Structures are given as structure tokens and as C-alpha cells.
Amino acid sequence: MTTSRSEAARSSRQPLSLVPDRDCPLCPRLVAFREANRAREPLWHNAPVAPFGDIKARLLIVGLAPGMQGANRTGRPFTGDYAGDLLYTTLLEYGFAKGQYRARPDDGLKLVDCRIANAVHCVPPQNKPLPVEINTCRQFLAANLAVMPNLRAIVALGRIAHDTVLKPLNLKGSQAPFGHGAVHQAGAFRLYDSYHCSRYNTNTRVLTPDMFRSVFAKVKADLD
């Protein structure tokens, strides 16, 4: 099956935009949650979180949504919570980042041939977006896929990210079932699956650091 970036863009059926507006009105529940967070923590980011990294990168990492204490606070994906500790340490190890990760957006960390986005751009209550919110926000992920000229590899962190990526790639779930360490071909793209690098998954040993590193070792080997 072949998939072009123009097809990915058309699948969104929306004007090309890489990130929702700061006051995006599309998901009423998330809007109400955002407004409550702004009132409680006015110095936090409390807005849709833009992708991080070069649009010319060959690797796109797709997460679930901003964490309350992480990206929702700092404004940079996976920055300020445990998931970012594991993700950025791994990216540094495999050459997809350089500098030092200090859990804040001004730490000087740079991504190398890598970009990070989320399936849902606003923090959801209890870190659980609703299906309608996932479907509504997919247009922005599709737009990112469409404008990355060198994209070759996509890492989906968790089942929701995996399922969200399938539609813009014109893949059915039966063609590309989610499984940690699974690799799926979609035309010029390869989709790599990983359990999400959340504290819960690592504390329960659903995901170990070695399991996580193995995914990026495979991506690195395939891109080299």
C-alpha cells in the first residue's frame, strides 16, 4: 500500500495547520479544562502544545497528549514529567537529540533528525482524551505528516497514538495491529510501536528502559 503526503493532507479535510490555535474551540470539554487550569495556574502554558523538532526530520514520534505537570505546564512535548526523562535520555543515547535535558524548555536541548508531536494537543482530564477529541485533533497530526518532506519513520507511543496514525497512513487496524516492538510498512513510511513511556508503565514493568531502547535501536539501524 502506498501513501503520499498529499493523501495524508486530504485525509484531514481541514485547512493545513500544524497546531491548534492557543484558544482552539474544537473540543468543549478540553476548552473548559484549559480555562480552569489557566485560572488556577496562570503562569503555566495551558494551551495546545506545538510539535518540537525540525520539520525536515526523518523521524516523527507521536505521543498521546500533554501531561498536566509536563508539556501543559512547560509548553514543550514530554518536558517536565517522568515520560520525558525516559524519552529524552533514550533520544540522546541514540543520537536523535543533543545537549542536556533539564526538564524545562530553555534547557538548550536540540532534536537531531527527529520531531515530536501528540495525537491530542491539549491536556485532557485524568490524561484520558475521549474518542471524539482524538478524532477531532487528528487533522493536525495529518498535517504534520503531510509537510515533513523527508519522513521515513514514525514511532507511536502507545495504542492510541498508533491508532491515530493509521488513518492518515491509510492503514486498517487489521493490517497493522499494535504491539510493542512491532514494525509496519505504509508505503514509504515505517511505523514502529512502543508502549508509552509513562511512569505507570515503567513502574509496573509493562515497559522497561531496555524494551524502550530496543525500539529506537531498530529505528536508528533502519535509518542509517
Side-chain angles (χ1 to χ4, degrees), residues 132-215:
V132 65
E133 294 160 353
I134 297 167
N135 290 336
T136 298
C137 212
R138 184 183 289 114
Q139 61 181 286
F140 302 103
L141 179 61
N144 274 272
L145 292 172
V147 299
M148 294 182 68
N150 303 317
L151 182 63
R152 287 177 52 194
I154 303 167
V155 174
L157 300 180
R159 183 181 296 275
I160 291 177
H162 167 92
D163 290 346
T164 299
V165 168
L166 294 186
K167 188 171 183 180
L169 295 183
N170 290 331
L171 284 176
K172 297 180 180 178
S174 59
Q175 296 172 305
F178 176 80
H180 181 82
V183 182
H184 312 283
Q185 194 73 38
F189 309 137
R190 280 186 175 176
L191 172 61
Y192 300 78
D193 289 339
S194 173
Y195 293 134
H196 195 282
C197 49
S198 66
R199 184 183 292 275
Y200 176 82
N201 280 348
T202 56
N203 282 350
T204 58
R205 306 292 288 178
V206 168
L207 178 70
T208 67
D210 283 345
M211 290 169 62
F212 196 59
R213 285 195 293 267
S214 71
V215 173

Side-chain angles (χ1 to χ4, degrees), residues 25-68:
L26 295 179
C27 300
R29 188 182 74 121
L30 301 188
V31 171
F33 193 54
R34 180 174 68 215
E35 290 176 350
N37 290 333
R38 286 178 178 176
R40 185 174 60 253
E41 298 287 355
L43 300 182
W44 287 12
H45 177 71
N46 287 322
V49 175
F52 174 40
D54 192 346
I55 211 165
K56 296 180 181 179
R58 292 182 296 166
L59 170 61
L60 176 66
I61 299 169
V62 181
L64 171 57
M68 174 64 80

